[in-house]
């Protein structure tokens, strides 16, 4: 058993008690926790509104809908990895409809090894999406810092008649002298001269 610092939350959408029972050994607590079970598309929809999940496993068909639209909607509205299990007779048709949305499809009957491998692929994909999210947040923070710096510079230009270069250097100097970030220095200028 390998200890992990974090686990993947799972929404298991299946009306089959036998399938759910077979899935539990493939979702060990040290890797997958919590595991939430929904027995219909409508229940799964409620669960997805209540919490974010890293992985969503859908055993189609479900009592109130097939589950294909749920899989596509989940991929479109969240960063969750989605595994859709469908009968082999409809696999090709379903696969071609959902693949462009990012849904991983597996035909039934299948074996534990195939499910476990697909879960690992979804975990790897989820980690990649996490890194993209972190980069996006970082870029958004940088853009906000630039906006604050520009706003502060223009206030210094307006109020103190500084050149743009002098205003920029003033904010940088304040940041270094006070041992604060450029963003905080810009916010201080904005508070002072607005």
């Amino acid at each position: 058993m390998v200890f992990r610092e974090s686990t993947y939350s799972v929404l298991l959408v299946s009306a089959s008690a036998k399938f759910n029972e077979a899935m539990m050994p493939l979702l060990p607590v040290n890797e997958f926790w919590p595991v939430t079970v929904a027995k219909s598309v409508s229940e799964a929809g409620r669960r997805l509104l209540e919490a974010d999940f890293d992985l969503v496993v859908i055993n189609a068909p479900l009592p109130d809908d097939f589950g294909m639209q749920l899989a596509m909607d989940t991929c479109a509205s969240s960063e969750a990895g989605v595994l859709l299990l469908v009968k082999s007779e409809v696999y090709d048709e379903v696969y071609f409809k959902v693949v462009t949305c990012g849904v991983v499809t597996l035909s039934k009957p299948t074996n534990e090894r195939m499910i476990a491998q697909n879960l690992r692929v979804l975990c790897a994909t989820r980690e990649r999406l996490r890194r993209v999210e972190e980069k996006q947040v970082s870029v958004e923070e940088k853009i906000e810092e630039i906006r604050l710096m520009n706003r502060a510079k223009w206030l210094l230009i307006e109020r103190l008649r500084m050149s743009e270069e002098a205003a920029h250097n003033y904010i940088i100097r304040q940041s270094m002298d006070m041992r604060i970030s450029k963003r905080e220095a810009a916010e201080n200028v904005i508070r002072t001269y607005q």
Side-chain angles (χ1 to χ4, degrees):
M1 179 166 82
V2 176
F3 176 76
R4 291 183 45 82
E5 194 172 309
S6 63
T7 58
Y8 299 96
S9 57
V10 178
L11 176 60
L12 178 58
V13 186
S14 171
S16 167
K18 184 179 174 184
F19 178 84
N20 296 347
E21 190 177 306
M23 281 296 294
M24 289 309 163
L26 300 175
L27 301 168
V29 183
N30 64 318
E31 290 181 64
F32 303 97
W33 188 86
V35 176
T36 305
V37 178
K39 296 182 178 178
S40 67
V41 168
S42 57
E43 183 182 354
R46 285 192 301 274
R47 299 283 186 180
L48 287 163
L49 288 174
E50 296 168 358
D52 291 328
F53 292 93
D54 295 310
L55 307 177
V56 177
V57 178
I58 303 169
N59 180 28
L62 293 151
D64 56 346
D65 192 39
F66 183 75
M68 183 171 59
Q69 192 62 48
L70 173 66
M72 292 187 299
D73 291 347
T74 301
C75 280
S77 65
S78 75
E79 276 74 40
V82 179
L83 176 61
L84 177 62
L85 291 102
V86 298
K87 291 183 180 175
S88 59
E89 300 86 54
V90 296
Y91 172 80
D92 286 334
E93 177 187 347
V94 171
Y95 168 80
F96 286 110
K97 287 181 180 176
V98 301
V99 69
T100 56
C101 297
V103 177
V104 176
T105 313
L106 191 58
S107 69
K108 299 185 293 187
T110 189
N111 59 46
E112 290 180 358
R113 183 175 175 165
M114 283 300 294
I115 294 173
Q117 286 175 346
N118 279 278
L119 289 172
R120 299 253 186 250
V121 167
L122 289 176
C123 290
T125 303
R126 183 66 188 107
E127 288 305 317
R128 191 168 186 204
L129 286 172
R130 273 190 229 278
R131 285 196 310 277
V132 169
E133 289 170 11
E134 289 169 4
K135 286 179 184 174
Q136 181 179 351
V137 168
S138 175
V139 167
E140 288 171 2
E141 288 172 352
K142 288 281 187 201
I143 290 169
E144 181 61 23
E145 181 181 301
I146 290 168
R147 284 185 183 139
L148 287 170
M149 286 284 291
N150 285 337
R151 194 165 154 207
K153 282 194 285 187
W154 285 111
L155 281 169
L156 291 170
I157 291 166
E158 269 183 19
R159 307 275 191 215
L160 302 180
R161 305 283 183 221
M162 289 183 178
S163 69
E164 185 175 355
E165 185 179 348
H168 180 80
N169 291 338
Y170 176 82
I171 296 167
I172 300 298
R173 203 171 334 127
Q174 289 292 311
S175 169
M176 290 188 300
D177 291 348
M178 299 173 78
R179 291 183 169 78
I180 58 177
S181 70
K182 289 186 283 185
R183 179 189 184 112
E184 290 171 303
E187 288 170 340
N188 288 343
V189 167
I190 292 167
R191 273 193 299 275
T192 304
Y193 293 105
Q194 196 167 23

